[in-house]
Amino acid sequence: MNPPIPPIISPTELINFYHNPGLVLADVRTGPNAKENYFKKHLEGALFVDLDTQLADIKEDVANGGRHPLPEINVFAETLTKLGISKQSHVVIYDDKNAANAAARFWWMLKAAGHQHVQVIDGGMQAAEKSGFPTGSRIEKPKMVLPYSFDSWQLPLADMQEVEKVSADENYMVVDVRDAARYRGEQEPIDLVAGHIPGAVNIPFTNNLDEHGLFLSPAELKKIYQIKLGDKATSNIIVHCGSGVTACHSLLAIAYAGMEIPKLYIGSWSEWSRNNKTIAKG
């Protein structure tokens, strides 16, 4: 049995691996012109994956599940099939934000689906280009594969009720990965109310990166998270962000450190702040 692959792949490693027939390259950039920018230039062979329509089931009522709730399992499985992803595919994902956005979310969802071979490009598209990975603007066509199927999310999840129940329990830890100013309630550029979940601790996802926007080494990340998380059982740690997307960056970093992946609170601050829950500041 082959050892598990690390969740992060360097651009140089990807260049050497590029012609593997089982590779599926996914571009998960976000922003108002994401798809148009993808068609202008993307890593050669990469398929565009849309955060809002393929990696989430956005509802009109954000109070029910937050801004990026998970899609139904059968819908996500169908998305994987349409992308030409089979159980044997080696999926490599990138975005244009150092994997801090939808690349990490797609990685988490694939791991939660039980997919074994999935990695995120360290440094994203910019680093891959800088390393000489070829780019293009042609329309990429997915491979034809048999229908993908799985029965349940295999990584741990927490809902709003669980977060409220344990947030003040010293045996648990709720981790908020948003930047410090949003956590303290000094500003809130996206959601309606500023602040944080009472009892939550702030470990900004930017702590995972060095000054060049690359992930710290597994040893450095392990040292950081062992200190930050202390002796809490992994099953008692819940990680969240604004809408369950950027939190996956910290879960990715924890996995890269060789540690067990904690629970993800998908609804995150976008759900909590719209349900008349207690809000802390400072």
Side-chain angles (χ1 to χ4, degrees):
M1 186 174 180
N2 294 326
I5 61 172
I8 301 296
I9 185 170
S10 73
T12 302
E13 289 174 315
L14 180 60
I15 289 171
N16 295 331
F17 176 69
Y18 174 50
H19 295 291
N20 186 306
L23 176 66
V24 177
L25 194 56
D27 182 313
V28 204
R29 74 183 80 191
T30 53
N33 301 309
K35 197 165 189 177
E36 291 83 350
N37 291 334
Y38 162 82
F39 282 121
K40 289 177 183 176
K41 184 172 67 173
H42 52 263
L43 298 188
E44 192 173 285
L47 300 166
F48 181 76
V49 181
D50 187 271
L51 168 64
D52 291 343
T53 62
Q54 293 175 291
L55 304 183
D57 181 16
I58 295 177
K59 306 286 200 302
E60 185 174 342
D61 182 13
V62 179
N64 181 22
R67 284 185 278 111
H68 288 103
L70 288 172
E72 294 295 329
I73 284 172
N74 64 311
V75 174
F76 182 55
E78 186 177 344
T79 292
L80 296 179
T81 303
K82 289 178 179 177
L83 290 169
I85 295 173
S86 71
K87 298 275 189 178
Q88 291 72 42
S89 297
H90 189 134
V91 185
V92 175
I93 311 166
Y94 69 91
D95 59 30
D96 56 355
K97 297 177 177 62
N98 304 114
N101 202 264
R105 167 70 171 244
F106 193 21
W107 168 85
W108 184 93
M109 290 174 68
L110 277 165
K111 293 299 290 184
H115 199 85
Q116 296 299 311
H117 302 291
V118 53
Q119 295 177 292
V120 172
I121 299 178
D122 197 7
M125 181 172 178
Q126 296 89 337
E129 275 194 275
K130 188 176 180 180
S131 296
F133 196 95
T135 61
S137 58
R138 70 184 184 187
I139 297 175
E140 310 288 354
K141 294 185 178 180
K143 303 165 187 173
M144 296 290 291
V145 294
L146 294 173
Y148 202 106
S149 66
F150 68 103
D151 298 325
S152 62
W153 300 112
Q154 296 176 33
L155 290 180
L157 289 160
D159 58 21
M160 183 170 59
Q161 288 70 35
E162 180 180 0
V163 173
E164 185 172 35
K165 180 180 178 181
V166 307
S167 61
D169 188 328
E170 63 181 14
N171 295 311
Y172 288 78
M173 180 180 287
V174 177
V175 177
D176 185 331
V177 310
R178 297 174 302 158
D179 67 66
R182 290 182 70 188
Y183 170 84
R184 292 192 297 262
E186 296 167 4
Q187 62 178 21
E188 180 46 64
I190 304 173
D191 291 306
L192 304 179
V193 183
H196 62 266
I197 296 170
V201 300
N202 186 216
I203 310 176
F205 77 89
T206 49
N207 289 2
N208 303 323
L209 304 172
D210 65 16
E211 66 272 19
H212 305 295
L214 301 174
F215 277 88
L216 298 175
S217 71
E220 290 173 305
L221 289 168
K222 188 171 186 177
K223 183 178 180 180
I224 289 171
Y225 281 103
Q226 282 181 332
I227 293 171
K228 296 285 189 181
L229 303 179
D231 59 357
K232 298 287 190 299
T234 304
S235 59
N236 289 4
I237 299 169
I238 301 171
V239 181
H240 79 90
C241 56
S243 69
V245 176
T246 308
C248 295
H249 188 277
S250 290
L251 298 179
L252 173 60
I254 290 170
Y256 190 37
M259 300 169 68
E260 192 176 348
I261 299 172
K263 292 180 179 180
L264 171 63
Y265 171 30
I266 284 284
S268 287
W269 183 249
S270 57
E271 179 182 51
W272 181 276
S273 61
R274 288 172 168 84
N275 277 278
N276 297 316
K277 301 297 182 184
T278 304
I279 290 173
K281 293 191 177 185

